[in-house]
Amino acid sequence: HAKNPQNTPRSDASTTPSSAKTTSDVRSVRFEGLTNDQKRKVKLRVENTMREIESNAINMKEGWEDIKDLPFLEKSAEAQSLVISTLANLVLDSRHRDSKKRATAGELTSLLLRNNVVAKQAFDAAIDEIRSTLDDIKIDVPKAPGYFAEFNKAAAANE
């Protein structure tokens, strides 16, 4: 596991990594609902991982491995989509409006896709959902469509 200098909560840090799945094995991905606790764990893990990457406490490889270690992520399309949505929302958040952070979130997303941590189908579902809310987000963050496009371009760059 990656270092956690801020002593931020980690969910199930002692779990063993699950075997790799392929994005083509869509039948193995469940489209069931997550519990509120599981949703909280996904968001917290993604937010903490981004914070650690940005502060150089961990590298990008350690970052995607941290996210991969969520015990229910492998078989839950909803959890995988939530990972992508959380990364995209961090990009759209007012505190994350610089291109380096958008590139970091995009690169992490790309690694999650390339290493089969997030299935393409789950990625597409998250992107479609975010795209459908961009007009609303634009009210508070006028440059949101551009920020989202930059994130999406970085995510797709090494897919």
Side-chain angles (χ1 to χ4, degrees):
H1 279 287
K3 297 174 238 166
N4 189 8
Q6 293 94 3
N7 289 323
T8 50
R10 293 275 192 202
S11 61
D12 303 307
S14 64
T15 61
T16 54
S18 55
S19 61
K21 66 172 177 29
T22 63
T23 55
S24 62
D25 190 8
V26 175
R27 290 182 309 256
S28 71
V29 178
R30 291 180 292 147
F31 287 91
E32 297 177 4
L34 295 173
T35 66
N36 287 336
D37 187 55
Q38 288 173 321
K39 289 177 187 177
R40 183 189 57 75
K41 287 178 180 179
V42 169
K43 288 179 182 179
L44 186 63
R45 178 69 61 94
V46 171
E47 290 167 356
N48 289 340
T49 298
M50 273 295 290
R51 191 176 305 113
E52 291 173 359
I53 290 170
E54 290 171 349
S55 69
N56 294 316
I58 64 173
N59 64 36
M60 197 63 73
K61 181 180 186 293
E62 291 168 320
W64 73 259
E65 288 174 342
D66 262 5
I67 293 170
K68 181 185 112 194
D69 285 344
L70 283 164
F72 47 84
L73 187 64
E74 181 181 3
K75 299 234 182 237
S76 172
E78 184 180 354
Q80 293 172 26
S81 288
L82 185 56
V83 166
I84 302 306
S85 294
T86 302
L87 285 167
N89 284 323
L90 286 172
V91 164
L92 297 174
D93 188 320
S94 62
R95 295 175 308 229
H96 292 80
R97 289 189 183 166
D98 70 61
S99 66
K100 183 178 182 205
K101 291 180 182 183
R102 290 189 293 278
T104 298
E107 183 180 349
L108 180 57
T109 300
S110 178
L111 285 168
L112 291 168
L113 287 164
R114 278 198 335 248
N115 289 287
N116 300 316
V117 176
V118 172
K120 178 75 168 116
Q121 184 177 2
F123 170 81
D124 289 342
I127 295 301
D128 288 346
E129 181 179 334
I130 294 162
R131 193 174 284 125
S132 73
T133 63
L134 273 179
D135 284 340
D136 293 335
I137 295 169
K138 229 174 23 177
I139 294 167
D140 295 323
V141 185
K143 294 183 180 182
Y147 297 152
F148 180 68
E150 191 175 337
F151 162 77
N152 207 14
K153 181 179 176 184
N158 297 308
E159 219 181 303

